[in-house]
Amino acid sequence: MRVLVIGSGAREHALLLALQRDPGVTGLICAPGNAGTAAIAEQRAVDVASGEAVAELAKDVAADLVVIGPEVPLVLGVADAVRAAGIACFGPSADAARIEGSKAFAKDVMAAADVRTAHSEIVDNPAKLDAALDRFGPTWVVKDDGLAAGKGVVVTPDRAAARAHAADLLENGHPVLLESFLDGPEVSLFSIVDGETVVPLIPAQDHKRVGDGDSGPNTGGMGAYTPLPWLPDETVDEIVEKVVRPVATEMARRGVPFSGLLYAGLAIGADGPAVVEFNCRFGDPETQAVLALLESPLGELLNAAAKGTLAQVSAPRWKDGAAVTVVLAAENYPGPPRTGDTITGADAEGVLHAGTKRVDGQVVSAGGRVLSVVGTGADLVAARDQAYERLSHVDLPGGHFRTDIGLAAVEGRITL
């Protein structure tokens, strides 16, 4: 099976590494890819937002399966174009991808499916903002209703800061979603979904804020770890039965069945799991940690979902132990990043590329989140040690990373 992976981040690098371990995968192509993916897959240029371009490329490289990594092409209907060309595609239709592309749509689906989530209100008129803010707090959650790469969210006890973010979004023509604050530790649970068939992967926890101790602004994610020693196994079953499966069933009932990776971001509070957000694709950086522990063939799993035969495939098998990924970000990220710096140590084992390119034989930075460094081990302590030891051999001028990925779990500071 020849597999074409669409995207250019560390998530796609992780997908390619896992697909490379699948004996049923005979060829790997990545478009547009980065300096790291070029070492393990044929690299091709493509406009990832163009369904026509991706479908043509898939035919040109004789792909048997297309795996779409990022959310933007999914929301724009690239998976529909690939399927229309007669090629199997892992990724939801544009209609189904609204579960991420429109938070209002996701809220409507959850209400119909009786899934616990935050109380919310859409504001699309600046004149209504202050009255709406008065109905929330004392911690305000302000979101861009559309796609924002994980950076369109402000969670703050400061009403003025919440108002400023909302006003900025509205000024730029983006409707605002106000939500009640959900307490409790957060969990990312990925599920492979084929209509109403749901196959959960192992849960992970992302670290969204840029600085240690969850300080500073939100980012696309600064690191992740799996599994979660503080999360009972039965909670994963509860999430599947009370959250993921009801949403999948409701989407099928509406005539927009979900096919692909359904990502549930949840807060685990005193009353059980509640949904913070849904995404329509593999999360980044959680994918880098989760797939590091996958033992069974990834290509077989994704191909079955793409072809509607997921129910016939054995459940995924996982290695014992833990995995941690730490993101190395460029100077000034999550603001406009400094780029063009030469990176040393980027080709070592466990180093996954995101914002990189190769210039005159050197790997240079080309984005905000530049590398993901992954460690594995018998437990979370060992996995953290390996990740940070590997990171110590990588140098990016002006680069920064969090030193506390997974540390609260190691120290037993996360409780339910």
Side-chain angles (χ1 to χ4, degrees):
M1 176 171 60
R2 289 174 57 79
V3 183
L4 168 62
V5 175
I6 300 297
S8 61
R11 164 185 50 215
E12 287 74 36
H13 197 167
L15 285 163
L16 289 163
L17 288 170
L19 288 164
Q20 189 181 46
R21 299 195 298 267
D22 184 339
V25 174
T26 56
L28 287 172
I29 309 97
C30 188
N34 57 47
T37 60
I40 57 173
E42 178 187 342
Q43 208 96 326
R44 298 292 290 265
V46 75
D47 176 1
V48 301
S50 168
E52 181 182 3
V54 173
E56 283 300 315
L57 175 61
K59 288 187 281 188
D60 185 50
V61 300
D64 300 297
L65 173 67
V66 176
V67 177
I68 300 176
E71 62 273 22
V72 171
L74 292 168
V75 170
L76 293 176
V78 172
D80 301 88
V82 172
R83 280 190 279 266
I87 300 168
C89 185
F90 182 82
S93 66
D95 281 345
R98 285 183 294 160
I99 198 76
E100 177 171 2
S102 167
K103 294 176 180 65
F105 173 79
K107 290 289 186 182
D108 189 57
V109 169
M110 284 186 276
D114 196 26
V115 169
R116 289 187 66 241
T117 186
H119 167 67
S120 65
E121 188 174 330
I122 293 284
V123 180
D124 57 9
N125 184 335
K128 299 179 180 179
L129 178 58
D130 285 307
L133 285 168
D134 289 342
R135 291 190 283 274
F136 290 84
T139 297
W140 283 267
V141 180
V142 184
K143 298 182 177 182
D144 187 331
D145 184 51
L147 297 177
K151 293 180 282 186
V153 181
V154 164
V155 180
T156 178
D158 184 341
R159 188 185 189 281
R163 188 186 190 283
H165 181 60
D168 184 60
L169 290 172
L170 289 166
E171 185 177 339
N172 286 285
H174 296 235
V176 169
L177 184 81
L178 299 179
E179 285 189 338
S180 58
F181 177 68
L182 296 173
D183 60 357
E186 292 197 5
V187 171
S188 299
L189 183 67
F190 300 167
S191 295
I192 309 293
V193 175
D194 162 17
E196 296 187 49
T197 302
V198 175
V199 176
L201 307 186
I202 51 176
Q205 188 178 64
D206 185 12
H207 295 62
K208 279 290 187 188
R209 293 189 182 269
V210 71
D212 283 3
D214 293 327
S215 61
N218 273 330
T219 69
M222 292 298 293
Y225 67 96
T226 187
L228 311 181
W230 48 268
L231 187 72
D233 290 343
E234 57 266 27
T235 304
V236 173
D237 297 333
E238 183 181 6
I239 293 168
V240 170
E241 296 307 321
K242 293 186 176 179
V243 175
V244 185
R245 202 180 307 281
V247 164
T249 299
E250 173 61 19
M251 293 184 73
R253 188 192 67 78
R254 293 179 178 216
V256 287
F258 193 95
S259 173
L261 193 289
L262 189 56
Y263 167 138
L266 310 112
I268 313 298
D271 296 325
V275 175
V276 175
E277 64 176 352
F278 273 109
N279 291 332
C280 64
R281 38 71 194 185
F282 279 100
D284 183 342
E286 299 99 321
T287 299
Q288 292 88 291
V290 169
L291 292 186
L293 296 182
L294 181 65
E295 201 166 54
S296 51
L298 179 63
E300 177 186 51
L301 190 64
L302 303 188
N303 192 49
K307 292 184 175 178
T309 59
L310 184 60
Q312 301 170 25
V313 177
S314 300
R317 299 189 310 277
W318 303 95
K319 300 173 186 175
D320 292 333
V324 170
T325 183
V326 182
V327 170
L328 177 62
E331 183 175 327
N332 200 46
Y333 178 82
R338 190 173 98 182
T339 60
D341 290 302
T342 299
I343 309 164
T344 57
D347 293 326
E349 184 178 1
V351 180
L352 278 58
H353 290 230
T356 66
K357 62 182 179 180
R358 202 170 289 273
V359 178
D360 298 328
Q362 301 291 314
V363 177
V364 302
S365 60
R369 292 188 296 170
V370 180
L371 301 170
S372 285
V373 181
V374 180
T376 57
D379 55 23
L380 202 48
V381 172
R384 269 179 46 84
D385 287 348
Q386 187 180 75
Y388 283 107
E389 196 278 331
R390 286 174 166 174
L391 183 55
S392 71
H393 298 289
V394 179
D395 181 64
L396 169 64
H400 61 96
F401 59 90
R402 284 183 58 161
T403 67
D404 63 347
I405 304 301
L407 184 60
V410 167
E411 294 179 345
R413 291 188 276 117
I414 303 178
T415 56
L416 297 180

